[in-house]
Amino acid sequence: MLRRVAIVVASSVLVLFGSAAVLRAIDFRYSDSIAQVPPAGDRPGRGEMGLLRELNLSADQMSRIQQIRSRYRDQMKSDRDAARQAQQDLRTLMAGTASDDQIREKFRQVKELRTKIADAQFNSMLEIRNVLSPEQRQKFAQRMEQRRGRGRDRLPERTPGI
């Protein structure tokens, strides 16, 4: 009986830490979204703003995109900071003597914050998409796909279950 309880507890811990790793990976993947890229002068030729520059945007398009980005920037930073803190709190709870219910509630908070961030990123991208012409959208999508392919090449191979 005690052995079963130990196995269940160990499995729960592994699942929770595995879930946290997945959420962290999602956070890193989303951290390069257009809504979060610093102004053009801070990262010349890099990130989505570098990609947007390749699209030959008009001054009006660039201005509208900057307005969209600035509308989302502060809230997303605040939510991202809160998600990081909640993730740290979750790790602390896992290492301590917190009840399963406390840990589940903190995990729910982490997921809720990550969802809020993802929703804001999606809404920002959707608004920016509406500023682009169909040709610009197509070129942007092609460039993003190329970047995704390069990003996958840099990820280390993982053995399932490890």
Side-chain angles (χ1 to χ4, degrees):
M1 176 72 173
L2 186 57
R3 186 174 182 190
R4 282 187 185 180
V5 170
I7 290 172
V8 169
V9 169
S11 298
S12 298
V13 169
L14 290 174
V15 167
L16 187 59
F17 281 119
S19 298
V22 168
L23 288 172
R24 186 174 305 140
I26 290 169
D27 183 44
F28 290 140
R29 182 173 301 147
Y30 285 131
S31 67
D32 281 339
S33 80
I34 290 174
Q36 300 169 32
V37 174
D42 293 352
R43 289 178 58 182
R46 295 180 60 188
E48 277 77 1
M49 285 307 293
L51 292 176
L52 287 172
R53 270 188 235 105
E54 293 178 24
L55 302 178
N56 298 319
L57 298 172
S58 69
D60 179 59
Q61 285 178 309
M62 191 58 103
S63 173
R64 291 170 55 196
I65 289 170
Q66 290 298 336
Q67 288 172 358
I68 292 167
R69 289 178 62 234
S70 67
R71 260 199 333 266
Y72 286 92
R73 184 180 296 123
D74 291 339
Q75 184 60 49
M76 287 177 59
K77 180 182 180 339
S78 173
D79 291 343
R80 197 173 307 106
D81 291 344
R84 285 186 185 118
Q85 182 59 53
Q87 183 68 45
Q88 181 58 46
D89 294 346
L90 178 61
R91 284 189 207 102
T92 301
L93 291 174
M94 287 296 296
T97 59
S99 71
D100 288 355
D101 288 339
Q102 289 172 311
I103 293 170
R104 281 189 182 93
E105 174 58 21
K106 186 55 68 174
F107 183 64
R108 185 198 62 74
Q109 289 174 8
V110 169
K111 289 192 313 182
E112 185 177 300
L113 286 164
R114 305 247 185 215
T115 298
K116 190 174 176 184
I117 293 165
D119 288 347
Q121 289 170 331
F122 174 78
N123 290 331
S124 172
M125 289 285 282
L126 194 57
E127 286 185 42
I128 289 171
R129 175 187 177 271
N130 290 328
V131 172
L132 302 176
S133 71
E135 296 80 20
Q136 289 169 326
R137 291 177 190 171
Q138 185 65 33
K139 187 172 181 180
F140 183 78
Q142 289 170 348
R143 295 282 195 249
M144 287 300 295
E145 192 57 38
Q146 289 171 353
R147 284 184 54 162
R148 281 187 203 106
R150 285 193 305 259
R152 282 186 209 113
D153 293 342
R154 288 185 297 212
L155 293 176
E157 289 296 321
R158 300 240 2 211
T159 305
I162 295 181

mmCIF file of all heavy atoms in Angstrom, residues 4-5 16 21 26 49 53 61-62 90 98 106 117 121 149 153 159:
data_model
loop_
_atom_site.group_PDB
_atom_site.id
_atom_site.type_symbol
_atom_site.label_atom_id
_atom_site.label_comp_id
_atom_site.label_asym_id
_atom_site.label_seq_id
_atom_site.Cartn_x
_atom_site.Cartn_y
_atom_site.Cartn_z
ATOM 1 N N ARG A 4 2.481 1.798 -3.340
ATOM 2 C CA ARG A 4 1.568 2.373 -4.335
ATOM 3 C C ARG A 4 1.429 3.875 -4.151
ATOM 4 O O ARG A 4 1.427 4.636 -5.123
ATOM 5 C CB ARG A 4 0.183 1.722 -4.237
ATOM 6 C CG ARG A 4 0.113 0.386 -4.856
ATOM 7 C CD ARG A 4 -1.294 -0.107 -4.873
ATOM 8 N NE ARG A 4 -1.313 -1.464 -5.380
ATOM 9 C CZ ARG A 4 -2.395 -2.180 -5.517
ATOM 10 N NH1 ARG A 4 -3.559 -1.671 -5.172
ATOM 11 N NH2 ARG A 4 -2.335 -3.395 -5.986
ATOM 12 N N VAL A 5 1.320 4.297 -2.905
ATOM 13 C CA VAL A 5 1.205 5.726 -2.630
ATOM 14 C C VAL A 5 2.475 6.444 -3.102
ATOM 15 O O VAL A 5 2.406 7.494 -3.728
ATOM 16 C CB VAL A 5 0.961 5.981 -1.121
ATOM 17 C CG1 VAL A 5 1.083 7.462 -0.788
ATOM 18 C CG2 VAL A 5 -0.405 5.455 -0.709
ATOM 19 N N LEU A 16 3.634 16.841 -13.127
ATOM 20 C CA LEU A 16 3.582 18.274 -12.889
ATOM 21 C C LEU A 16 4.822 18.975 -13.422
ATOM 22 O O LEU A 16 4.732 19.988 -14.106
ATOM 23 C CB LEU A 16 3.428 18.557 -11.392
ATOM 24 C CG LEU A 16 3.204 20.011 -11.034
ATOM 25 C CD1 LEU A 16 1.940 20.540 -11.709
ATOM 26 C CD2 LEU A 16 3.068 20.162 -9.540
ATOM 27 N N ALA A 21 7.474 22.077 -17.733
ATOM 28 C CA ALA A 21 8.465 22.195 -18.807
ATOM 29 C C ALA A 21 7.794 22.519 -20.135
ATOM 30 O O ALA A 21 8.287 23.337 -20.912
ATOM 31 C CB ALA A 21 9.280 20.909 -18.916
ATOM 32 N N ILE A 26 6.373 26.554 -24.241
ATOM 33 C CA ILE A 26 5.364 27.361 -24.937
ATOM 34 C C ILE A 26 5.649 28.834 -24.724
ATOM 35 O O ILE A 26 5.583 29.635 -25.652
ATOM 36 C CB ILE A 26 3.952 26.991 -24.454
ATOM 37 C CG1 ILE A 26 3.583 25.597 -24.962
ATOM 38 C CG2 ILE A 26 2.927 28.019 -24.912
ATOM 39 C CD1 ILE A 26 2.331 25.033 -24.341
ATOM 40 N N MET A 49 9.943 42.153 -36.409
ATOM 41 C CA MET A 49 10.041 43.496 -36.974
ATOM 42 C C MET A 49 11.019 43.485 -38.145
ATOM 43 O O MET A 49 10.815 44.194 -39.116
ATOM 44 C CB MET A 49 10.470 44.512 -35.907
ATOM 45 C CG MET A 49 9.354 44.864 -34.934
ATOM 46 S SD MET A 49 7.822 45.399 -35.721
ATOM 47 C CE MET A 49 8.346 46.934 -36.454
ATOM 48 N N ARG A 53 10.036 44.519 -41.902
ATOM 49 C CA ARG A 53 10.766 45.469 -42.739
ATOM 50 C C ARG A 53 10.978 44.929 -44.145
ATOM 51 O O ARG A 53 11.032 45.677 -45.105
ATOM 52 C CB ARG A 53 12.105 45.823 -42.090
ATOM 53 C CG ARG A 53 11.979 47.007 -41.174
ATOM 54 C CD ARG A 53 13.330 47.470 -40.691
ATOM 55 N NE ARG A 53 13.267 47.481 -39.242
ATOM 56 C CZ ARG A 53 13.833 46.594 -38.445
ATOM 57 N NH1 ARG A 53 14.573 45.646 -38.938
ATOM 58 N NH2 ARG A 53 13.692 46.657 -37.150
ATOM 59 N N GLN A 61 1.313 51.888 -42.597
ATOM 60 C CA GLN A 61 1.264 50.523 -42.075
ATOM 61 C C GLN A 61 2.186 50.369 -40.869
ATOM 62 O O GLN A 61 1.796 49.789 -39.860
ATOM 63 C CB GLN A 61 1.670 49.512 -43.155
ATOM 64 C CG GLN A 61 0.625 49.257 -44.211
ATOM 65 C CD GLN A 61 1.146 48.295 -45.258
ATOM 66 O OE1 GLN A 61 2.235 48.491 -45.813
ATOM 67 N NE2 GLN A 61 0.363 47.258 -45.537
ATOM 68 N N MET A 62 3.409 50.884 -40.975
ATOM 69 C CA MET A 62 4.354 50.765 -39.878
ATOM 70 C C MET A 62 3.829 51.487 -38.641
ATOM 71 O O MET A 62 3.921 50.968 -37.526
ATOM 72 C CB MET A 62 5.717 51.327 -40.293
ATOM 73 C CG MET A 62 6.800 50.993 -39.306
ATOM 74 S SD MET A 62 7.019 49.227 -39.051
ATOM 75 C CE MET A 62 8.478 48.966 -39.998
ATOM 76 N N LEU A 90 4.714 27.706 -7.844
ATOM 77 C CA LEU A 90 4.353 26.303 -8.040
ATOM 78 C C LEU A 90 5.534 25.391 -7.704
ATOM 79 O O LEU A 90 5.368 24.373 -7.024
ATOM 80 C CB LEU A 90 3.890 26.078 -9.482
ATOM 81 C CG LEU A 90 3.513 24.658 -9.868
ATOM 82 C CD1 LEU A 90 2.356 24.149 -9.020
ATOM 83 C CD2 LEU A 90 3.152 24.606 -11.353
ATOM 84 N N ALA A 98 2.850 21.578 0.732
ATOM 85 C CA ALA A 98 1.527 22.045 0.319
ATOM 86 C C ALA A 98 0.621 20.865 -0.026
ATOM 87 O O ALA A 98 1.080 19.802 -0.448
ATOM 88 C CB ALA A 98 1.661 22.964 -0.898
ATOM 89 N N LYS A 106 -2.569 26.457 -7.846
ATOM 90 C CA LYS A 106 -1.457 27.252 -8.389
ATOM 91 C C LYS A 106 -1.211 26.875 -9.843
ATOM 92 O O LYS A 106 -0.968 27.740 -10.685
ATOM 93 C CB LYS A 106 -0.188 27.039 -7.550
ATOM 94 C CG LYS A 106 0.961 27.928 -7.944
ATOM 95 C CD LYS A 106 0.628 29.411 -7.941
ATOM 96 C CE LYS A 106 0.386 29.969 -6.571
ATOM 97 N NZ LYS A 106 0.195 31.442 -6.583
ATOM 98 N N ILE A 117 -1.829 35.306 -21.910
ATOM 99 C CA ILE A 117 -0.713 35.802 -22.723
ATOM 100 C C ILE A 117 -0.875 35.348 -24.173
ATOM 101 O O ILE A 117 -0.737 36.141 -25.107
ATOM 102 C CB ILE A 117 0.635 35.311 -22.150
ATOM 103 C CG1 ILE A 117 0.899 35.944 -20.789
ATOM 104 C CG2 ILE A 117 1.776 35.621 -23.120
ATOM 105 C CD1 ILE A 117 2.001 35.246 -20.002
ATOM 106 N N GLN A 121 -1.333 37.650 -27.533
ATOM 107 C CA GLN A 121 -0.423 37.534 -28.671
ATOM 108 C C GLN A 121 -1.196 37.247 -29.948
ATOM 109 O O GLN A 121 -0.922 37.823 -30.994
ATOM 110 C CB GLN A 121 0.607 36.438 -28.407
ATOM 111 C CG GLN A 121 1.599 36.839 -27.342
ATOM 112 C CD GLN A 121 2.473 35.685 -26.892
ATOM 113 O OE1 GLN A 121 2.060 34.540 -26.925
ATOM 114 N NE2 GLN A 121 3.673 35.994 -26.466
ATOM 115 N N GLY A 149 11.321 26.390 -39.165
ATOM 116 C CA GLY A 149 12.135 25.253 -39.589
ATOM 117 C C GLY A 149 13.538 25.345 -39.032
ATOM 118 O O GLY A 149 14.094 24.360 -38.557
ATOM 119 N N ASP A 153 15.540 22.880 -36.124
ATOM 120 C CA ASP A 153 16.862 22.304 -36.345
ATOM 121 C C ASP A 153 17.785 22.542 -35.157
ATOM 122 O O ASP A 153 18.686 21.763 -34.902
ATOM 123 C CB ASP A 153 17.512 22.896 -37.604
ATOM 124 C CG ASP A 153 16.771 22.493 -38.871
ATOM 125 O OD1 ASP A 153 15.990 21.515 -38.823
ATOM 126 O OD2 ASP A 153 16.953 23.176 -39.890
ATOM 127 N N THR A 159 14.615 12.031 -26.201
ATOM 128 C CA THR A 159 14.144 10.658 -26.134
ATOM 129 C C THR A 159 12.790 10.667 -25.449
ATOM 130 O O THR A 159 12.656 11.253 -24.373
ATOM 131 C CB THR A 159 15.135 9.782 -25.321
ATOM 132 O OG1 THR A 159 16.415 9.911 -25.911
ATOM 133 C CG2 THR A 159 14.692 8.342 -25.299
#
